Amino acid sequence: MSGPIPDHALIGRAKHIPTAATTPTLSLSPLTLPIPGRLVPLQLRITIPTTGTHLPILLLSHGQGASNNLSSLNGYAPLVTFYSSHGFAVIQPTHLSSKTLLFPPESLIDGPLCWRSRVQDFKDILDRAEDIEAGFEAARGRLDWTSIGVVGHSMGAHTACMLLGAQSKKLNALTHELEIINMIEPRVKAGVLIGAPGCDPGRETQSAMARKVAPFFADTSFKEMRTPALVVFGDEDVPDYLTTRGVEWHRDPYTLSGGRKDLLTVYGAGHIFGGVSGWDAKECDDESVERCEVVARLTWAYLRSQLVEGDGSWEVACEALKGLEGIGMVESK
């Protein structure tokens, strides 16, 4: 008879943040969905616990880091493993911006980061629920397509913001007027935004690099983002390569948004928050098993309480965090 699945030996004080019992998981990759008009079929990884039904679903949007493979369906194992082993079904696409695809810039209609096609990837996933379950027999009939959250890190957090209701602008080539871009997805009920980009109205504070590869960051409007979300902010996550505004730039999705929002400040965290994008990743400048586990446990608790009626995990986790000096803090509005 098998016993409880042990935690990583280095999670430190994160072990004091309560969570559910760990279960084994199953993963299928790639599940391929042909999408009309997309440069290549949409490839997914789906990870689920071996037991349970009515599993709430998390859509996970990868970032655009320095590693060659993590910015794809192959990344974010620390989060995916935790979420799926504690009761969620996790769906990860490879966005067209991934280094694993590396398309010529001229073939990408919305720039090298493919910011709008990233959002469309998740709309296509939700439209193809039957095909997804048909392609993964172990998941058939076990997923709750009415209980959906989104998790994004870095560029993936911008993708998540757009799904949650943030808006952007585009210059109309004919009228030379700015048009509002609204890609909200009402099927997504809550989100987690880790290391999310902020905005630079007027672009005076935007860096030369950002103006070249991500000018759309400047025009993001968060006030329309009313879907509940947890913004995860690292107090050492300095985005000098994108903006002159400093770490506070990453707080914009919380401070400037409408609706109910929570802000988790993680002390000492850089942009990879201890290693959320992958185990032992070269892009991680603040590697910490404890910090990564803190982020996993607290974001899991938030999503459980948002997506599962009557669940009190978030309140319990926040209370536990108060007793862990030097780890982080939560504020709400």
Side-chain angles (χ1 to χ4, degrees):
M1 180 181 294
S2 60
I5 299 174
D7 294 321
H8 194 296
L10 300 178
I11 67 168
R13 289 180 295 163
K15 67 184 179 183
H16 298 299
I17 301 173
T19 186
T22 305
T23 62
T25 63
L26 293 170
S27 183
L28 176 71
S29 172
L31 190 154
T32 301
L33 298 176
I35 304 293
R38 199 174 189 271
L39 288 174
V40 293
L42 180 58
Q43 290 196 331
L44 313 175
R45 177 186 298 275
I46 305 173
T47 310
I48 59 174
T50 54
T51 61
T53 59
H54 300 96
L55 300 173
I57 297 169
L58 298 182
L59 309 174
L60 194 151
S61 184
H62 65 72
Q64 204 65 32
S67 298
N68 293 323
N69 200 44
L70 296 180
S71 294
S72 72
L73 57 75
N74 295 315
Y76 293 84
L79 295 181
V80 175
T81 300
F82 190 89
Y83 295 151
S84 58
S85 66
H86 293 86
F88 283 106
V90 184
I91 302 178
Q92 303 169 257
T94 292
H95 298 301
L96 292 178
S97 60
S98 174
K99 284 186 180 180
T100 64
L101 299 175
L102 206 61
F103 290 110
E106 61 272 14
S107 68
L108 302 171
I109 61 173
D110 55 351
L113 296 182
C114 305
W115 68 280
R116 279 175 290 177
S117 74
R118 283 169 150 265
V119 182
Q120 187 60 47
D121 285 344
F122 289 114
K123 292 177 177 288
D124 290 333
I125 287 169
L126 297 180
D127 289 342
R128 301 285 291 275
E130 291 186 6
D131 294 333
I132 289 171
E133 291 204 22
F136 190 7
E137 183 62 33
R140 190 190 297 267
R142 297 178 58 206
L143 309 187
D144 184 353
W145 293 92
T146 68
S147 184
I148 299 169
V150 63
V151 179
H153 170 242
S154 192
M155 182 60 205
H158 180 273
T159 303
C161 284
M162 296 299 292
L163 289 165
L164 297 171
Q167 296 183 359
S168 191
K169 299 176 182 177
K170 176 187 177 184
L171 184 67
N172 186 303
L174 296 178
T175 66
H176 301 288
E177 295 180 351
L178 287 175
E179 298 179 345
I180 299 297
I181 298 175
N182 178 5
M183 301 185 74
I184 189 172
E185 177 47 71
R187 290 173 288 188
V188 176
K189 307 303 183 184
V192 165
L193 313 171
I194 305 172
C199 60
D200 295 275
R203 304 194 179 184
E204 292 90 351
T205 56
Q206 196 170 41
S207 71
M209 175 182 169
R211 287 193 293 271
K212 179 179 179 181
V213 301
F216 50 87
F217 284 166
D219 299 322
T220 306
S221 174
F222 296 105
K223 66 180 180 180
E224 300 84 6
M225 191 175 74
R226 305 194 65 83
T227 309
L230 170 64
V231 178
V232 183
F233 168 76
D235 65 356
E236 295 185 14
D237 183 5
V238 182
D240 289 349
Y241 59 103
L242 294 172
T243 182
T244 61
R245 289 182 51 211
V247 295
E248 293 302 307
W249 185 70
H250 289 296
R251 290 171 58 102
D252 286 355
Y254 176 76
T255 58
L256 302 179
S257 66
R260 292 185 294 116
K261 297 293 183 294
D262 293 87
L263 177 71
L264 167 62
T265 298
V266 184
Y267 300 147
H271 194 55
I272 311 299
F273 291 83
V276 297
S277 61
W279 308 118
D280 305 319
K282 71 174 184 179
E283 64 190 50
C284 183
D285 58 2
D286 69 328
E287 186 169 2
S288 166
V289 176
E290 179 184 65
R291 183 176 298 127
C292 186
E293 183 81 5
V294 165
V295 171
R297 290 188 176 217
L298 285 165
T299 56
W300 171 87
Y302 176 82
L303 290 162
R304 286 290 300 180
S305 292
Q306 289 294 326
L307 299 177
V308 179
E309 186 175 359
D311 186 278
S313 298
W314 177 236
E315 183 178 353
V316 172
C318 289
E319 192 61 32
L321 181 63
K322 292 177 183 178
L324 302 176
E325 185 178 353
I327 294 291
M329 64 171 289
V330 170
E331 53 192 285
S332 305
K333 68 173 190 177

